[in-house]
Amino acid sequence: MRYQAPKGTQDLLPAQARTWAAFRRRAQEVFSLYGYEPIETPVFELSELFTRSAGESSDIASKEIFSVRSIGALQKMAEGEPLKADQKLALRPEGTASVVRAIAQHNLVPQGGAPAKLFYAGSMFRCERPQKGRLREFHQVGVECLGATDAVADAEMIIMCMRFFESLGLKRESMTLLINSMGDENCRPAYTERVRSYLKEHEDSLCEDCRRRIDDNPLRAFDCKNESCRKVVDGAPRFSDNLCDACRERFEAVKGYLDAAGIGYTVDPRLVRGFDYYTGTVFEVQVKDGLGSQNAIGGGGHYDKLMGEISGKDLSGLGFAVGFERVMLALEAAGIELDSGAPRGVYVVCVDESVRPTAFSLMQQLRDAGIPADGDTQSRSVKSQFKVAGKGNARACVVVGPDELSSGNVTVRDMDTHDEQLVATGELVEKIQALY
Ligand SMILES: [Zn+2]
Ligand SMILES: [Zn+2]
């Protein structure tokens, strides 16, 4: 085979594409109950938008970004000319920065205006080493809410995320909801410093990545899956003991709302999200079976500074993203099927060439009446036309033959019961509709 899908990508074949559509539909249904509206942003943006918002030391900025260059920009690079910022483009590695950029650009939250509540669905791109459930092009749905300031918004977002998973068929008891507060500009710097000196003391037990993180961004060590690093991190100072009063009160309020809603959770002092922009409440949903150690199916949190980074105007935000491929693995493990199959249609069997124009026009009549209809386009024998109909799981076959047609009739075969009846062509649509 000369051409294959590039490494780390996959085709969504019809059954998977239908599943992705069902996943998006379900997201839209649940999120719209909470006042969210759809938004579509470009698949590529200025690189800087992503690298600055995720943090210069984040994995995204340092190694996972897919750069996009125009031919003109490539020529400039070849000639050794530096590129301007607007010539450095990147495929989006996540949805948040783009949505926040769009909200700022179109002033969707004017001074004193109501929060902007938006959801998105689409492909994201990261240049990771491909592994199970982690692709270079993957699919996500996510939401962002900009302008809400109260702790109730944090709780609402977490509840909405759990309701979405439940709407897909995942049982509440098969998931773990982890929450934490990452503090704010008041208390995070001092806490980060404490973690940094703690990690320095235990540097010998840390992996190479984590040793590098001590200076850049020590909290990222909390994410490390390395056994030895995890042991060190277990003994690290806890965020919950180092929050300022405002952060502690807010986190308590969020927990209170979750309790009131009957949403069970575990406070995980090690939970940090992989982007620098999070402040305050963060959360992650994990499944207990089917995904091994990479068991997170979604997560998000609160961010105070991202809008300021992007537009220069601070606006409190929060959001989460859910990975389609990960959730599919979890659903598979739980034996849940989102795809209800292709709709069953009618197959019009053409007995010989003389009746083809009639078969063609009957097929159009059926489609115009909203009934999926298909027919032969390869001059196959009647027998193999029936085979194709069976393979396509047709609900019925309409057999158009010259003898029956001379008296204005066709034969309708019910593919489930194998009953056949003669039907006048003028009554065909009605008869077929009765089968559904
Ligand atoms: Zn490590
Ligand atoms: Zn604080």
Side-chain angles (χ1 to χ4, degrees):
M1 178 65 73
R2 188 156 172 199
Y3 295 113
Q4 301 231 335
K7 194 172 156 190
T9 69
Q10 66 175 3
D11 299 307
L12 297 183
L13 298 177
Q16 292 161 299
R18 272 197 306 268
T19 305
W20 167 230
F23 185 81
R24 290 194 318 252
R25 245 189 338 266
R26 210 63 66 81
Q28 174 146 18
E29 282 162 15
V30 174
F31 301 159
S32 65
L33 294 175
Y34 293 76
Y36 284 78
E37 296 198 279
I39 186 167
E40 301 272 349
T41 62
V43 167
F44 61 88
E45 302 255 4
L46 297 192
S47 292
E48 208 185 288
L49 174 70
F50 302 125
T51 52
R52 282 196 49 195
S53 58
E56 298 290 349
S57 65
S58 66
D59 285 347
I60 281 188
S62 59
K63 57 181 192 226
E64 291 175 356
I65 206 119
F66 262 104
S67 294
V68 177
R69 298 285 184 266
S70 68
I71 293 291
L74 284 174
Q75 275 164 355
K76 274 192 158 185
M77 284 169 74
E79 286 156 16
E81 267 189 65
L83 293 185
K84 295 197 195 105
D86 65 358
Q87 291 165 321
K88 294 181 188 166
L89 302 168
L91 297 181
R92 61 184 181 195
E94 54 114 18
T96 303
S98 305
V99 173
V100 172
R101 193 266 310 137
I103 289 171
Q105 182 177 337
H106 305 287
N107 195 24
L108 298 185
V109 190
Q111 198 77 42
K117 293 175 148 188
L118 297 167
F119 78 87
Y120 58 85
S123 289
M124 306 291 158
F125 306 85
R126 288 189 205 172
C127 198
E128 294 186 280
R129 190 167 53 82
Q131 50 183 306
K132 194 183 181 197
R134 266 181 193 262
L135 291 162
R136 288 181 166 182
E137 180 185 16
F138 55 100
H139 300 81
Q140 272 190 346
V141 298
V143 299
E144 307 299 337
C145 171
L146 268 289
T149 49
D150 201 274
V152 75
D154 296 17
E156 192 178 274
M157 176 117 338
I158 294 171
I159 294 166
M160 181 168 80
C161 185
M162 297 310 285
R163 291 286 185 260
F164 172 51
F165 287 131
E166 287 165 14
S167 82
L168 297 174
L170 285 170
K171 293 264 183 306
R172 184 64 191 84
E173 57 273 17
S174 72
M175 298 182 277
T176 309
L177 168 62
L178 301 176
I179 63 171
N180 191 23
S181 171
M182 290 181 65
D184 58 6
E185 57 183 339
N186 247 327
C187 50
R188 180 133 115 211
Y191 173 69
T192 307
E193 218 32 69
R194 291 193 61 182
V195 172
R196 181 173 286 135
S197 37
Y198 170 84
L199 291 179
K200 274 221 170 94
E201 285 165 32
H202 298 83
E203 199 165 354
D204 293 347
S205 318
L206 295 177
C207 74
E208 207 176 303
D209 276 344
C210 287
R211 256 179 266 164
R212 188 171 42 78
R213 287 167 179 154
I214 293 179
D215 288 323
D216 293 346
N217 192 349
L219 298 185
R220 298 297 314 284
F222 288 20
D223 255 350
C224 188
K225 302 280 180 228
N226 183 304
E227 250 330 292
S228 166
C229 297
R230 290 186 76 96
K231 274 196 191 119
V232 173
V233 165
D234 273 337
R238 300 186 159 210
F239 235 137
S240 45
D241 301 328
N242 289 274
L243 294 173
C244 67
D245 288 346
C247 284
R248 188 174 316 110
E249 274 162 30
R250 189 186 176 92
F251 195 46
E252 288 307 315
V254 172
K255 289 194 283 183
Y257 286 122
L258 292 178
D259 291 337
I263 302 281
Y265 55 85
T266 305
V267 176
D268 179 356
R270 277 201 312 210
L271 178 67
V272 294
R273 303 282 307 162
F275 300 110
D276 283 2
Y277 52 66
Y278 286 115
T279 51
T281 311
V282 288
F283 69 99
E284 185 169 291
V285 183
Q286 302 179 343
V287 283
K288 291 170 181 162
D289 299 310
L291 289 182
S293 66
Q294 303 279 348
N295 57 357
I297 51 173
H302 186 266
Y303 47 85
D304 270 337
K305 296 286 143 206
L306 185 56
M307 181 58 104
E309 279 274 335
I310 288 172
S311 73
K313 193 180 95 183
D314 276 345
L315 195 61
S316 157
L318 62 161
F320 66 78
V322 174
F324 170 67
E325 283 80 7
R326 293 284 199 93
V327 172
M328 282 310 108
L329 291 175
L331 290 177
E332 222 171 83
I336 298 164
E337 184 115 31
L338 275 191
D339 172 31
S340 48
R344 296 184 71 192
V346 171
Y347 195 92
V348 179
V349 175
C350 199
V351 172
D352 66 26
E353 284 307 309
S354 73
V355 298
R356 196 172 279 280
T358 308
F360 178 75
S361 111
L362 289 175
M363 211 149 57
Q364 290 308 327
Q365 285 175 33
L366 289 164
R367 290 164 176 164
D368 289 344
I371 300 160
D374 208 354
D376 172 59
T377 51
Q378 298 164 307
S379 300
R380 285 173 186 259
S381 71
V382 169
K383 195 176 159 200
S384 64
Q385 287 183 58
F386 269 110
K387 255 193 199 161
V388 171
K391 263 197 168 160
N393 197 24
R395 177 65 188 86
C397 279
V398 174
V399 186
V400 187
D403 295 345
E404 295 86 344
L405 200 58
S406 64
S407 50
N409 292 318
V410 291
T411 305
V412 172
R413 182 193 285 191
D414 185 316
M415 295 296 275
D416 291 346
T417 62
H418 300 286
D419 286 346
E420 289 194 353
Q421 52 174 325
L422 266 188
V423 173
T425 52
E427 288 162 17
L428 179 65
V429 167
E430 213 175 304
K431 283 277 185 226
I432 294 287
Q433 273 165 338
L435 290 176
Y436 285 90

